[in-house]
Amino acid sequence: MARANFEPYGRDFPGGRATGRFCNGRLSSDFTSEAYGLKPTVPAYLDPSYNISDFATGVCFASAGTGYDNSTADVLGVIPLWKEVEYFKEYQRNLSAYLGHRRAAKIIRESLYIVSIGTNDFLENYYTLPDRRSQFSISQYQDFLVEIAEVFLKDIYRLGARKMSFTGISPMGCLPLERVTNLDDPFSCARSYNDLAVDFNGRLRRLVTKLNRELTGIKIYFANPYDIMWDIVTKPNLYGLEISSSACCGTGLFEMGFLCGQDNPLTCSDANKFVFWDAFHPTERTNQIVSDHFFKHLKNLFH
């Protein structure tokens, strides 16, 4: 179900191609790659039109709709986090075969690992389906996710990762879809979801502090997107944007994925005026603003 490989997704991407990115154009990780003087877009590992020579300067293992929790990946039948780690191992073997062990090991050690995950665990899984809610209180579920995050970060550390930008979660109560379904105060940001994001980010920050202390040679930057996204959503004009309460695609209230198809006559003509592209994902312009915000810190930490 979680597909975005059709128009109008990708309409502002180089070549106007829909690549599976849930966006009209590029993602923050693409802009970060470009800012470091690497490729302007990071190729997806499973895209058959690329090979190991393309992946030597950057590669993406992410899967739309997944989460820390394996059961989140099951909701839409997407790639779970553990499988992404398996692909990373496979990539390392292929890179060693392509460049030789020493050069491959240097690339693995010197690369910046961008991790951005977690919103789906809450909105697509915990608050939508009954299973996890019957097993965990929301506080217990956060602890459960943080434990998975710790295992994941230690796994990629053991596989050679040393420089990481670990992203928290944004004010998810301000996503257009959550505003529409906010029965307490329709079309306003859902405060309970925003409070949860603040709480969860605090737990992730403590995890990052702990791992930076414990793991020799590691440097994890905690990229907390909450404040910058809150600023963009509440004061879009400061960033050259106009509309933050609804998205560009369709009515801008609930469409994403297949509902955001090329036949939808309501889709906006200029996505650069909008904070959100579909009901759940930012526009390319927002991604660039967020990437620029974090890159100031990243370039000082990771040369």
Side-chain angles (χ1 to χ4, degrees):
M1 283 292 290
R3 290 183 178 274
N5 58 340
F6 46 83
E7 295 177 3
Y9 287 98
R11 72 180 194 191
D12 299 309
F13 192 81
R17 284 187 309 122
T19 59
R21 288 165 173 80
F22 273 80
C23 188
N24 59 303
R26 292 191 283 162
L27 305 179
S28 292
S29 47
D30 296 316
F31 288 112
T32 303
S33 174
E34 185 175 50
Y36 271 117
L38 297 167
K39 289 176 181 156
T41 59
V42 181
Y45 184 62
L46 295 180
D47 188 332
S49 59
Y50 296 105
N51 60 39
I52 192 64
S53 65
D54 301 298
F55 299 145
T57 54
V59 58
C60 177
F61 301 97
S63 179
T66 201
Y68 290 111
D69 184 350
N70 286 337
S71 75
T72 302
D74 293 339
V75 175
L76 294 174
V78 298
I79 301 166
L81 188 57
W82 68 265
K83 185 65 176 174
E84 292 179 24
V85 176
E86 291 303 306
Y87 285 133
F88 177 45
K89 292 177 186 172
E90 182 183 83
Y91 164 72
Q92 290 195 354
R93 292 192 293 273
N94 294 341
L95 194 66
S96 289
Y98 175 63
L99 293 175
H101 180 71
R102 182 173 291 180
R103 275 186 71 196
K106 185 175 191 294
I107 286 174
I108 297 299
R109 187 175 65 248
E110 295 293 330
S111 290
L112 173 64
Y113 295 80
I114 298 176
V115 181
S116 177
I117 191 169
T119 306
N120 295 327
D121 290 302
F122 297 109
L123 298 186
E124 188 188 298
N125 187 347
Y126 188 87
Y127 285 112
T128 306
L129 301 171
D131 280 11
R132 289 304 192 213
R133 277 206 311 282
S134 67
Q135 295 169 290
F136 299 105
S137 70
I138 187 57
S139 182
Q140 290 168 333
Y141 190 60
Q142 288 183 78
D143 289 339
F144 173 69
L145 297 180
V146 170
E147 284 171 20
I148 297 168
E150 179 169 4
V151 169
F152 165 73
L153 292 172
K154 285 179 173 175
D155 279 349
I156 64 170
Y157 171 78
R158 274 193 288 272
L159 292 166
R162 291 296 178 270
K163 305 172 181 180
M164 301 180 203
S165 175
F166 182 61
T167 312
I169 56 177
S170 62
M172 54 191 176
C174 293
L175 294 168
L177 184 67
E178 303 314 321
R179 286 176 177 245
V180 171
T181 52
N182 181 7
L183 302 179
D184 297 331
D185 190 0
F187 300 103
S188 297
C189 295
R191 192 166 169 183
S192 60
Y193 287 157
N194 286 352
D195 290 346
L196 170 59
V198 171
D199 186 4
F200 190 57
N201 285 334
R203 296 176 198 228
L204 293 177
R205 185 185 294 281
R206 289 191 288 278
L207 171 64
V208 167
T209 302
K210 173 176 174 248
L211 294 181
N212 275 327
R213 215 172 37 233
E214 280 180 15
L215 301 176
T216 309
I218 203 171
K219 193 182 275 187
I220 311 175
Y221 170 64
F222 182 58
N224 185 348
Y226 190 96
D227 290 344
I228 179 70
M229 277 303 295
W230 175 255
D231 222 36
I232 295 168
V233 165
T234 54
K235 300 187 279 274
N237 298 7
L238 287 183
Y239 297 91
L241 299 162
E242 294 175 20
I243 301 158
S244 63
S245 56
S246 60
C248 169
C249 194
T251 61
L253 303 177
F254 63 88
E255 293 93 342
M256 57 181 164
F258 288 112
L259 294 173
C260 174
Q262 68 189 80
D263 301 328
N264 197 318
L266 299 171
T267 296
C268 79
S269 56
D270 182 5
N272 285 335
K273 292 178 179 173
F274 286 76
V275 174
F276 294 102
W277 164 248
D278 66 14
F280 216 76
H281 302 96
T283 55
E284 177 180 75
R285 184 74 193 104
T286 304
N287 287 334
Q288 184 170 21
I289 294 165
V290 172
S291 174
D292 290 348
H293 170 78
F294 286 129
F295 189 69
K296 294 194 290 275
H297 304 282
L298 292 174
K299 75 169 190 289
N300 292 329
L301 274 174
F302 306 114
H303 306 298

